[in-house]
Amino acid sequence: DVSMDLLFLVEAILILNTVVVIASASGKEKDNITLSRRADIAKYYFQSTFPHTLLPCLGMYVVCFIFAKDGHDLGPWDVRLWVWWISTLPRLVLRGRRLVGYYKKMELELEVNIYRLQLFKFACVIFQACHWVGCLFYFESRLAQFHTDTWVYRYQFILQDFDLNSSTQGEHYIVMLYKGFNMVSNMGYERIAPSNKWEVLWSIVVMFLQVGLSAYIL
């Protein structure tokens, strides 16, 4: 998260050392406004870009700083943890908007191979869908404190190298990502069926999204 947010900060620094051209409402090039002084560029940046670029990131870090002072592990139903999760949503929307804007901008570039761009866009859509499906299922298991009827707990008896307590966060993420890809692709490699009402509910939602994703691909 820090590395991604630093890119926004680097972008802001680069903007202050360039010339900003503001398109006029008339659409005529001669009416465009050119900003070359750093003070003018900074004023324009903080008025037009900062509120929806860096401000959501700062809000999340302020929440992290306030809650991290206690130094205690937060339980799944801790109000502070929910506040932190909610504070990350504006950053998610921000990144999604920037990604969509990037694709639209690249589609207008004549030098860009449109077929490669569409392939890359398709791969990103698939990966993001699988990532978020896996996150939702893992989130449900965490709220249940990894009870014996959750899929994460039962994976311990299928994957010999996976242990709920001793496995690293990276191993947990791989299992979560496998769950997401298996659900979205509907390949059926998984030998674990939903065992509680929340897993059944998430499965229904994913099945519904599969239909939409298939229609989007076609």
Side-chain angles (χ1 to χ4, degrees):
D1 288 335
V2 174
S3 61
M4 292 297 296
D5 294 335
L6 283 177
L7 293 178
F8 296 131
L9 185 60
V10 171
E11 180 189 40
I13 296 175
L14 292 176
I15 290 176
L16 293 178
N17 290 276
T18 57
V19 176
V20 176
V21 178
I22 305 175
S24 62
S26 62
K28 297 180 180 180
E29 186 175 351
K30 63 179 182 178
D31 296 333
N32 293 344
I33 301 175
T34 303
L35 303 178
S36 58
R37 295 176 61 248
R38 286 192 176 92
D40 297 334
I41 297 175
K43 181 180 179 181
Y44 172 76
Y45 178 82
F46 279 96
Q47 289 178 348
S48 61
T49 307
F50 178 78
H52 59 83
T53 300
L54 286 177
L55 194 58
C57 305
L58 294 179
M60 188 207 71
Y61 285 113
V62 169
V63 173
C64 291
F65 176 77
I66 294 175
F67 292 161
K69 293 189 296 182
D70 297 336
H72 300 297
D73 187 22
L74 302 180
W77 292 101
D78 195 302
V79 176
R80 294 173 296 176
L81 188 60
W82 283 85
V83 172
W84 176 79
W85 277 330
I86 294 174
S87 68
T88 62
L89 293 179
R91 299 169 68 251
L92 174 63
V93 175
L94 165 65
R95 292 178 181 180
R97 289 180 58 186
R98 289 175 65 89
L99 188 61
V100 172
Y102 171 78
Y103 285 134
K104 290 182 177 180
K105 180 180 179 181
M106 294 301 294
E107 287 174 354
L108 298 177
E109 296 289 339
L110 298 179
E111 297 82 3
V112 175
N113 189 316
I114 191 65
Y115 297 105
R116 293 181 180 179
L117 181 63
Q118 289 178 345
L119 180 62
F120 180 74
K121 181 180 178 180
F122 172 75
C124 288
V125 170
I126 294 297
F127 182 83
Q128 287 292 329
C130 296
H131 168 81
W132 281 108
V133 168
C135 285
L136 287 175
F137 274 95
Y138 192 89
F139 176 70
E140 182 275 330
S141 296
R142 184 178 180 183
L143 290 181
Q145 298 184 347
F146 301 113
H147 192 263
T148 55
D149 66 344
T150 59
W151 69 271
V152 179
Y153 181 88
R154 288 178 290 154
Y155 253 67
Q156 299 177 109
F157 306 103
I158 296 180
L159 302 177
Q160 297 179 354
D161 297 333
F162 178 72
D163 183 78
L164 188 59
N165 298 317
S166 61
S167 294
T168 63
Q169 291 184 355
E171 293 171 335
H172 276 255
Y173 179 75
I174 292 175
V175 170
M176 181 202 73
L177 195 61
Y178 173 79
K179 177 73 172 180
F181 271 94
N182 188 75
M183 290 297 298
V184 173
S185 63
N186 199 24
M187 295 297 293
Y189 291 139
E190 189 179 25
R191 292 180 289 171
I192 297 179
S195 60
N196 59 64
K197 62 180 181 180
W198 292 110
E199 289 185 1
V200 171
L201 178 61
W202 288 131
S203 298
I204 293 174
V205 173
V206 172
M207 293 174 190
F208 178 78
L209 294 177
Q210 282 178 338
V211 177
L213 183 61
S214 299
Y216 173 80
I217 294 173
L218 296 176

